[in-house]
Amino acid sequence: MIKVGILFGGHSQEREVSFAGGRTIYDNLNKSIFLPVPIFIDSIGNFILLNWEHIYKGTIRDFYPPPQFTKYYNNYSPYIENLGKLSTEEQDNMMLCVGSKIELKDLNLLIDFAFLTLHGAYGEDGKIQGLLEYLQIPYSGSGILSSTIGIDKNIQKELMEQAGFNIAKYVVIKRKDWINGHCGKIYEAVKEKIGFPFVVKPATQGSSIGVSVIKQNDNLAFMLAVEKALFTKWIDSSQWLKLNDKEKESQILNLSDLKENLGLPININYNNQLHAFYSTTELIQFLNTYSQQCDGFILESINAEHTVIVEAFINGKEFSCIVIEDVDDHNKPIALPPTEIIKGDEIFDYRSKYLPGLARKITPIDTHEENLKNIRLNCERLFKLLHFDVYARIDGFLSNDGLIYLNDPNTTSGMMPSSFFFHQAAEIGLNPSQFITFIIRTSLSKRIDQNPGIASYQKTIVALNVLMQNEKKSTNSKQPVAVIFGGYSSERHISVESGRNIYEKLFSSKKYHPIPIFLTRNNHDLQFFQIPINLLLKDNADDIAHKIKKWHQNVLIEKIIDETQHIVKLYSNKNQLLAPHQISLQELSKLTNLAFIALHGRPGEDGVLQLMLEKVNIKYNGSNATTSALTINKFNTNNLLREKGFFVAKNYLVQKTNWQQNLSGELEKIKQQFTFPLIIKPTDDGCSSAVKKIDNETDLLTYAKLIFRDTDALDSSLAAQLHIQPKEEFPLKFEFLIEELITKGNAKKMIEITGGMLVSKDKQNKPTYIIFEASEALANSAILSLEEKFLAGQGQNITPARYSTTADAQKQISNEVKKVLEAVAKTVNINGYCRIDAFVKIFDNHKIEVVIIEINTLPGMTPATCIYHQAAIEGLQPYQFIDQILEIAQLN
């Protein structure tokens, strides 16, 4: 086995993307060939051999610094640099809670190869590459020189301009010039040279962090955009003093957001003395104390940017292209099919990049063949010009007048499951596991070319070649499993994320061979399609459905497939680019007798699909049709639980016909039973889809108009009233559920939890329950948003939930909560596994009330879903958890 150290984390603004990318590599490494070694680099530079269970946390802050070191932060989880200057002993104690510290001199004893998923400074700027060269550890991607060039957009533009590439008009702003008060002169230069609209962005950041578009003459908007790109912020003292305490706290919390603002710690230079603030409380106290003594303060991130690029906005099609090295000729770059990014009027920002369903990726970019050829040729030429190695991601625009503008060449691509990195590799027939193997082997070859005298590199590649040959021989013995995902509900994009994650974990295992099955419908009939790998790696369910309906292989892609077939044959022994085709369940049963349903909501959790699978003798994960039909309906489920003595929210079912025929009567019934604010949600959806806190009757009427509308399109003015974000799913329904807003009341504490479990059967066919430690969900408002559930680095889950600060009370309350969750599962006859959401109220003497919110018989199985955190406490890695679910399915 080749020991692959996966280096992730770091201290850049993009550390959460790096963390999620590291998890993707960890999951997708072929376990027959590689032994993954997770190496987490914290934001103050420590290298940590991370315990595997922490890899599956939703964010870095969920596990590091460990919760016991951050108790005084209450509902805010800090990064380690927010804790102030820590002694070596304090750092060592924290590291021991999550793994073990790695001394750099020992790194080459732990790993044979370093796979880099680091971003930004100390990740893709040549510094980590230089360290690994010194330690004689081969690593992935570009070397020192190309990484140094690849991180700096200013240097790139100079080189590209000299080489004759089309360059949008641009102005470079140096930090010192801006800070020294040359703002007005700089703005005039920008207007004169570039005009409107233009883009303002930092020179050395990725993931569209710090990027703004200025569309018209607005000096204040320009100043704020440059501030954002420099990661600085001017606080005006007079404005600060007008704010109340809550407004001050809100403003500083917003500034501490690492992805969009400065993060913490924040520096202020006051009276020629540098003050560093590690917590929001310290910063607010300073501003309150000194705001009466000066006009204002410049707040600066410790990772502040030194250069800002202002460039003309290109009207046209935006694209991204992965370029790889040929395996036979390392001097020959091959551009994979370029992808068009369709996102509407908004920036392709962090949210659009990483939240399923917000942006569409069209591969190849929709243009004629000559333009496609020219895009590829330009990307390949830039790859060579900048001396990139192994792979790169090159972004650009095809302008409306047919010119190609390249910008932001990156030596490290984001490695989320549906990123361009994997998306485009799938177009030539390589799934993520195979593409990672390609990157490792090609990187090894490149390091050997650059360092021919290091014998260990040669030894590693020889061992890798043998292991790859052995793996090809063993593939046919794996057990086939249909992975069914997609659907047509508001949760279809999350279902694709879940299905893709299940597919990838099964494919990289030694046991299973997954078959991707996409579900959709024609009128009211369910349709099943066996799809190729390139469709599985599309960004969302709508893209997959569209491609199936309009299937044809682009001529250029066929040429690229021919050009790269020698690569694909080396890393794959199956044709994974067969055309999508409809398949009946009867036909599917001839391929496999086992299915993993990765659907959410209807269909999937409603029992319909379960009945269909039973008819053709295909075993499936989760509960049976009867239980599924019950739990999909929150109204019926809660009524049953209430009858059985469980605490549930008081609720009322609003039906479209009653609402439209007797509006005043329905409103009167609601007012008699409920007081505002209250919660409104669909009866049969989950994942926070259309779940809203409603503060008044006007908002209630608006919600009803939206959910009872007659067409799919949303009225934008009504959507704005309910703060529905662009492209946020809001289903069309014939009924919705009103629930009382659960409050703490006279309890000492109330927290929102989600608790998973495994349910099997013993030899006497009696159910046995493993109830996991529940996770505590930290929401920014009354409702957990989609971003908090599924956007990398956004949501915070603490596992196990923090019921008490004392060990005895924590254990007592946890056991009581588990008893309630088990009783609920027994009441509705759960089988296999499930997730139950609830509020836990904690009173004096540790008495508790568990208020059940909903039961999910097919929980989300996306890469960082908190049910994996819970299974980890039971010693189950995600693949082992999935394997147990499938083993239980086959017993039924």
Side-chain angles (χ1 to χ4, degrees), residues 233-244:
K233 179 68 178 177
W234 168 258
I235 296 287
D236 183 273
S237 293
S238 61
Q239 294 298 319
W240 175 262
L241 293 171
K242 292 177 183 178
L243 302 176
N244 60 39

Side-chain angles (χ1 to χ4, degrees), residues 88-136:
T88 301
E89 182 181 3
E90 288 174 316
Q91 294 178 47
D92 288 346
N93 288 337
M94 289 186 191
M95 286 186 273
L96 282 173
C97 294
V98 299
S100 57
K101 182 178 180 179
I102 299 172
E103 299 293 344
L104 291 181
K105 63 181 177 60
D106 298 327
L107 188 58
N108 59 6
L109 301 176
L110 288 174
I111 62 176
D112 303 310
F113 180 88
F115 200 108
L116 304 179
T117 68
L118 297 161
H119 294 277
Y122 299 95
E124 50 184 323
D125 59 359
K127 293 184 177 69
I128 190 71
Q129 289 81 0
L131 172 64
L132 293 167
E133 293 271 4
Y134 176 75
L135 296 172
Q136 294 192 359

Side-chain angles (χ1 to χ4, degrees), residues 40 104 146 161 180 287 380 524 573 584 685 691 710 716 772:
F40 173 67
L104 291 181
S146 44
E161 200 166 23
N180 289 337
L287 294 173
E380 290 168 354
H524 296 290
N573 60 356
S584 69
D685 264 323
V691 181
D710 295 322
S716 58
F772 298 155

Side-chain angles (χ1 to χ4, degrees), residues 498-560:
S498 290
R500 182 163 48 227
N501 185 46
I502 297 297
Y503 171 92
E504 291 173 355
K505 284 185 169 64
L506 295 181
F507 186 91
S508 64
S509 75
K510 299 177 182 180
K511 182 176 179 180
Y512 295 106
H513 173 69
I515 303 167
I517 303 294
F518 183 78
L519 182 148
T520 185
R521 69 175 173 182
N522 181 22
N523 295 322
H524 296 290
D525 295 329
L526 298 186
Q527 294 182 316
F528 303 86
F529 291 88
Q530 185 175 351
I531 63 172
I533 187 65
N534 56 332
L535 290 200
L536 176 63
L537 269 289
K538 295 299 178 190
D539 210 37
N540 60 62
D542 294 346
D543 276 354
I544 296 173
H546 176 77
K547 282 286 187 181
I548 290 172
K549 189 174 181 180
K550 303 287 185 180
W551 176 257
H552 69 280
Q553 189 62 281
N554 181 276
V555 173
L556 181 71
I557 289 186
E558 287 182 344
K559 291 180 179 178
I560 299 173

Side-chain angles (χ1 to χ4, degrees), residues 88-311:
T88 301
E89 182 181 3
E90 288 174 316
Q91 294 178 47
D92 288 346
N93 288 337
M94 289 186 191
M95 286 186 273
L96 282 173
C97 294
V98 299
S100 57
K101 182 178 180 179
I102 299 172
E103 299 293 344
L104 291 181
K105 63 181 177 60
D106 298 327
L107 188 58
N108 59 6
L109 301 176
L110 288 174
I111 62 176
D112 303 310
F113 180 88
F115 200 108
L116 304 179
T117 68
L118 297 161
H119 294 277
Y122 299 95
E124 50 184 323
D125 59 359
K127 293 184 177 69
I128 190 71
Q129 289 81 0
L131 172 64
L132 293 167
E133 293 271 4
Y134 176 75
L135 296 172
Q136 294 192 359
I137 298 173
Y139 54 87
S140 61
S142 282
I144 300 170
L145 173 63
S146 44
S147 296
T148 305
I149 296 170
I151 194 67
D152 196 315
K153 298 178 179 68
N154 186 22
I155 294 174
Q156 292 166 6
K157 285 187 177 296
E158 291 176 4
L159 293 172
M160 290 166 69
E161 200 166 23
Q162 292 168 10
F165 285 89
N166 294 321
I167 300 293
K169 294 177 182 178
Y170 72 99
V171 169
V172 177
I173 303 174
K174 294 296 184 182
R175 177 186 181 78
K176 62 181 181 180
D177 294 334
W178 185 262
I179 297 293
N180 289 337
H182 298 160
C183 316
K185 188 185 296 185
I186 291 170
Y187 188 43
E188 291 304 315
V190 168
K191 289 192 292 184
E192 181 179 344
K193 183 173 181 180
I194 300 176
F196 298 94
F198 58 78
V199 181
V200 182
K201 59 187 177 184
T204 61
Q205 301 289 330
S207 292
S208 301
I209 290 172
V211 178
S212 304
V213 176
I214 305 298
K215 297 182 179 180
Q216 56 192 9
N217 190 358
D218 187 334
N219 187 36
L220 177 60
F222 175 69
M223 293 181 69
L224 293 174
V226 176
E227 269 194 349
K228 181 179 179 182
L230 286 171
F231 300 100
T232 65
K233 179 68 178 177
W234 168 258
I235 296 287
D236 183 273
S237 293
S238 61
Q239 294 298 319
W240 175 262
L241 293 171
K242 292 177 183 178
L243 302 176
N244 60 39
D245 289 345
K246 189 172 182 180
E247 290 169 334
K248 290 176 179 176
E249 183 181 9
S250 175
Q251 182 173 342
I252 298 304
L253 278 173
N254 183 51
L255 279 175
S256 68
D257 180 355
L258 189 69
K259 296 181 298 300
E260 291 297 330
N261 277 297
L262 310 187
L264 288 170
I266 284 173
N267 290 332
I268 297 179
N269 196 325
Y270 179 69
N271 281 345
N272 295 319
Q273 185 177 353
L274 189 66
H275 301 262
F277 299 93
Y278 296 91
S279 75
T280 56
T281 303
E282 291 174 346
L283 180 55
I284 291 170
Q285 288 174 349
F286 178 89
L287 294 173
N288 285 341
T289 302
Y290 293 100
S291 284
Q292 296 182 11
Q293 301 178 21
C294 63
D295 293 335
F297 309 89
I298 296 176
L299 279 62
E300 302 180 71
S301 166
I302 59 166
N303 296 320
E305 181 64 62
H306 56 76
T307 305
V308 170
I309 305 290
V310 183
E311 63 184 11

Side-chain angles (χ1 to χ4, degrees), residues 63-81:
F63 69 93
Y64 193 80
Q68 60 266 42
F69 293 90
T70 62
K71 290 177 181 176
Y72 68 94
Y73 279 82
N74 296 323
N75 286 334
Y76 173 75
S77 295
Y79 290 105
I80 191 170
E81 70 267 24

Side-chain angles (χ1 to χ4, degrees), residues 383-432:
F383 186 96
K384 294 191 73 170
L385 172 72
L386 300 182
H387 299 280
F388 287 167
D389 302 324
V390 186
Y391 78 94
R393 195 194 82 229
I394 298 174
D395 301 335
F397 290 87
L398 176 64
S399 70
N400 290 339
D401 54 3
L403 295 177
I404 296 165
Y405 293 85
L406 301 184
N407 64 349
D408 297 353
N410 293 272
T411 54
T412 297
S413 173
M415 294 182 185
M416 304 284 273
S418 62
S419 68
F420 298 113
F421 184 71
F422 297 119
H423 176 94
Q424 293 179 20
E427 291 293 340
I428 63 171
L430 292 177
N431 67 30

